[in-house]
Amino acid sequence: MKREIPYVQYVFDTSDTEGSVLQLAPFLFPGNNFTDGTIRVSKLCQGTTNALFKVSRQPAGPHCQDIAVKVLVKVYGEGTEITIDREKELQLHKILSDNQLAPDLLVRFSNGHGYAFLDGTACSVEEIAEKRIWCGVARELANWHAVLPVVNVKLPGDVVDFEPSIWSTAKKWLDALPSNTEKQRAKKKLLHGEFQYLKKTLLGNDPRQSLVFGHGDLLCGNIIMQSLSVNDRPEKAASVKFIDYEHSTYCPPAFELANHFAEWAGFDCNYNLLPTTSTRVEFIREYLQAHRDITKERHGTDGPTPPSSRVTQAEVDQVMADVDSFRGFPGFYWGLCALIQAQASTGSIDFDYAGYAEKRLQEYWAWRGAVSGANEAVSLREERWTAP
């Protein structure tokens, strides 16, 4: 029997977090006497589209043996409804939760939702370069793509129109771009033309790749490291989980991988941090092997993986080529998103959307120039991408 997520007609006030939490407490801590104890609220982070709070209920009494209960409360940023479909976010979160890939949703309210706490530490741009961390990410990404539904769409037009997906989302974002001035209209027309170029280049007449249920926004802060010890062997993969599913959608695996690699640069877009060719090869081999092993296990085959089930170099080379083809799309995609947020933001989130849009779109133009041969000088990002 499917559990309905309760909805409360209430607007969370970030200037009075404890008062707001008390309004939601019966749903955040179901079955608990939340008045018999202490509730503490701490702000974990403010992303580019929301604020996240950790709420702890510590039972009262010096001799109480009960363990503190922790939950998370996500408050949507103002103006983000243009770029983020919150209904879709919650529907996909529920699918993830049903597949043990996300914590349980607890409550919805007017400008956010609450869900169970996920123990661990958020990854940093420095930590993602550690092999045991990115091996864990590769394995968890393979877990998502092996466990969750896959969509096979045969025609390019059907791929672009399929919802939700990166293609249909990019179309919506393009249409939502401001067009009040001549300059804005010219930019919108230019980007519409580039979208046609991307469709022709990446889809052609045969969209060979299936669409996987992807995270869609696998930046370092959305990776939670759950098992780290100074005594761990360096080659041991860390256990990681993913959070923040507002951009989860269907996409080609190559987009998911290219997008994650792009996020190694962080919000500052430090391209010296991007994974080199050799690191991407190792990551993709780890991802492919984990995907194969998980698929084999889900189909009930026991025992060690036979040699025929090992990933071949040809398979790694093919995915490397696919990812290489998609490396310009993330800059275009997030550039569009940031352009819209630059216009829609009310200032409740302190982030330079316009500056970020410029950086991400520049990544796209650098890729476009490299592919066409129009660029005489190689950008730092393209140089780092091709480094061995």
Side-chain angles (χ1 to χ4, degrees), residues 327 364-379 382 386:
R327 74 181 187 273
Y364 168 75
W365 292 118
W367 166 79
R368 179 81 150 84
V371 169
S372 66
N375 289 356
E376 294 183 6
V378 179
S379 70
E382 288 295 308
T386 56

Side-chain angles (χ1 to χ4, degrees), residues 12 19 22 46 68-69 82 87 134 141 163 170 173 202 236 241 250-251 257 269 302 339 351 355 366 379 388:
F12 193 100
L22 284 173
Q46 178 169 288
V69 180
I82 301 175
E87 287 298 321
W134 60 250
L141 199 56
E163 293 189 14
W173 287 350
L202 299 178
K236 180 182 178 183
K241 293 292 183 183
Y250 284 90
C251 62
L257 291 162
C269 298
D302 298 322
L339 281 176
F351 188 76
S379 70

Side-chain angles (χ1 to χ4, degrees), residues 23 46 60 126 169 191 205 207 221 233 236 282 301 313-314 323 348 353 367 376 385:
Q23 294 291 325
Q46 178 169 288
E126 293 78 22
T169 298
L191 292 173
N205 295 317
R233 298 188 308 275
K236 180 182 178 183
E282 287 189 76
T301 306
Q313 187 60 45
V323 171
S348 62
Y353 292 108
W367 166 79
E376 294 183 6
W385 184 270

Side-chain angles (χ1 to χ4, degrees), residues 170-280:
K171 278 178 61 179
K172 290 176 182 177
W173 287 350
L174 276 167
D175 291 340
L177 286 174
S179 55
N180 300 318
T181 67
E182 187 61 38
K183 184 178 180 180
Q184 288 175 338
R185 287 190 289 273
K187 189 164 193 173
K188 188 170 184 175
K189 182 179 180 180
L190 172 67
L191 292 173
H192 264 287
E194 292 305 312
F195 185 62
Q196 298 304 314
Y197 172 82
L198 281 166
K199 287 196 298 181
K200 181 179 179 180
T201 303
L202 299 178
L203 294 178
N205 295 317
D206 179 22
R208 181 170 45 82
Q209 294 190 18
S210 301
L211 299 179
V212 297
F213 187 137
H215 182 280
D217 189 21
L218 204 51
L219 49 88
C220 295
N222 287 339
I223 298 165
I224 300 299
M225 306 176 296
Q226 294 192 300
S227 65
L228 288 181
S229 170
V230 293
N231 298 319
D232 283 346
R233 298 188 308 275
E235 67 274 14
K236 180 182 178 183
S239 174
V240 306
K241 293 292 183 183
F242 304 151
I243 60 169
D244 205 353
Y245 319 109
E246 62 190 21
H247 289 293
S248 292
T249 193
Y250 284 90
C251 62
F255 173 86
E256 181 95 292
L257 291 162
N259 185 63
H260 172 61
F261 293 147
E263 295 295 354
W264 283 38
F267 284 125
D268 292 333
C269 298
N270 181 354
Y271 302 124
N272 287 307
L273 299 177
L274 290 176
T276 58
T277 301
S278 58
T279 300
R280 297 197 306 276

Side-chain angles (χ1 to χ4, degrees), residues 5-14 20 24 27-28 49-53 72-78 80-81 84 86-87 89-90 93 105-115 246:
I5 309 303
Y7 177 78
V8 179
Q9 187 71 37
Y10 180 76
V11 176
F12 193 100
D13 183 358
T14 55
S20 292
L24 303 170
F27 304 97
L28 295 173
T49 52
N50 60 75
L52 191 64
F53 299 91
L72 293 173
V73 172
K74 178 176 179 178
V75 181
Y76 308 146
E78 295 177 10
T80 58
E81 67 279 354
I84 300 171
R86 297 298 183 182
E87 287 298 321
E89 175 187 1
L90 291 166
H93 187 144
L105 281 164
L106 300 173
V107 63
R108 301 172 57 194
F109 49 95
S110 300
N111 60 334
H113 60 267
Y115 55 100
E246 62 190 21

Side-chain angles (χ1 to χ4, degrees), residues 329-349:
F329 197 175
F332 182 84
Y333 190 74
W334 296 115
L336 292 180
C337 184
L339 281 176
I340 295 168
Q341 287 301 133
Q343 294 292 319
S345 177
T346 62
S348 62
I349 294 177

